[in-house]
């Protein structure tokens, strides 16, 4: 149980995404893997974006990634982010293939550049909700 105050939007843990959140709570990154064609994808989809099969499982991945891009937001689209302005968003490519939008789990490093090796970390922000962040590996 956690009592961390968190006033930003929280995800809805529905049947489609609950396995992801369960793994995240255990500090493990997971993506969906199609049992028909093997495609790994993120975020969750009802059907495989490649072959449209609904036979998918969640698979724990390494958490290793490469920085593809990043941006600094100077506007708060939700009041909960106002105190953190400016805040940073990153796009990484997981070693296993999927692209993932996330945040840095640290200040943007001075040597930030495309291709920077990154690794996943998790921040418990509410009961059963642990958010994915990336830091330099
Ligand atoms: Zn497929």
């Amino acid at each position: 149980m956690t009592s961390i105050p968190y006033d930003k939007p929280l995800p809805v843990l529905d049947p489609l995404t609950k396995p992801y959140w369960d793994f995240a709570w255990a500090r493990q990154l997971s993506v969906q893997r199609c049992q028909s064609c093997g495609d790994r994808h993120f975020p969750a989809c009802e059907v495989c974006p490649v072959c449209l099969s609904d036979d998918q499982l969640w698979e724990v991945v390494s958490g290793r990634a490469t920085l593809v891009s990043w941006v600094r937001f100077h506007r708060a689209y939700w009041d909960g982010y106002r105190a953190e302005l400016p805040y940073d968003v990153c796009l990484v490519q997981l070693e296993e293939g999927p692209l993932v939008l996330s945040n840095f789990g640290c200040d943007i490093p001075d040597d930030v550049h495309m291709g920077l090796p990154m690794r996943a970390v998790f921040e418990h922000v509410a009961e059963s909700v642990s958010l994915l962040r990336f830091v330099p590996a």
Side-chain angles (χ1 to χ4, degrees):
M1 189 166 123
T2 182
S3 60
I4 302 166
Y6 188 79
D7 58 355
K8 299 179 180 80
L10 288 170
V12 175
L13 279 59
D14 59 22
L16 176 65
T17 62
K18 185 155 184 339
Y20 168 82
W21 294 110
D22 289 346
F23 280 121
W25 188 251
R27 301 183 186 282
Q28 293 181 303
L29 178 56
S30 62
V31 300
Q32 280 183 309
R33 183 170 186 158
C34 176
Q35 298 303 290
S36 179
C37 75
D39 184 66
R40 291 183 179 107
H41 41 270
F42 186 89
C45 305
E46 293 284 350
V47 297
C48 173
V50 173
C51 73
L52 303 182
S53 169
D54 64 357
D55 186 10
Q56 301 182 85
L57 293 177
W58 286 92
E59 178 181 87
V60 173
V61 294
S62 68
R64 290 187 293 271
T66 301
L67 184 62
V68 174
S69 188
W70 65 96
V71 65
R72 176 161 285 177
F73 281 79
H74 294 272
R75 178 177 174 183
Y77 292 94
W78 284 275
D79 284 341
Y81 288 89
R82 197 166 309 283
E84 294 181 15
L85 288 176
Y87 64 93
D88 303 310
V89 174
C90 61
L91 176 68
V92 303
Q93 183 163 30
L94 302 180
E95 186 175 84
E96 294 80 5
L99 291 169
V100 176
L101 268 177
S102 184
N103 297 103
F104 289 93
C106 60
D107 291 335
I108 290 184
D110 291 339
D111 66 341
V112 67
H113 60 275
M114 292 171 59
L116 182 68
M118 306 288 281
R119 66 178 174 86
V121 295
F122 290 89
E123 179 186 359
H124 292 334
V125 298
E127 184 63 35
S128 301
V129 177
S130 188
L131 297 181
L132 173 65
R133 313 280 194 221
F134 282 90
V135 297

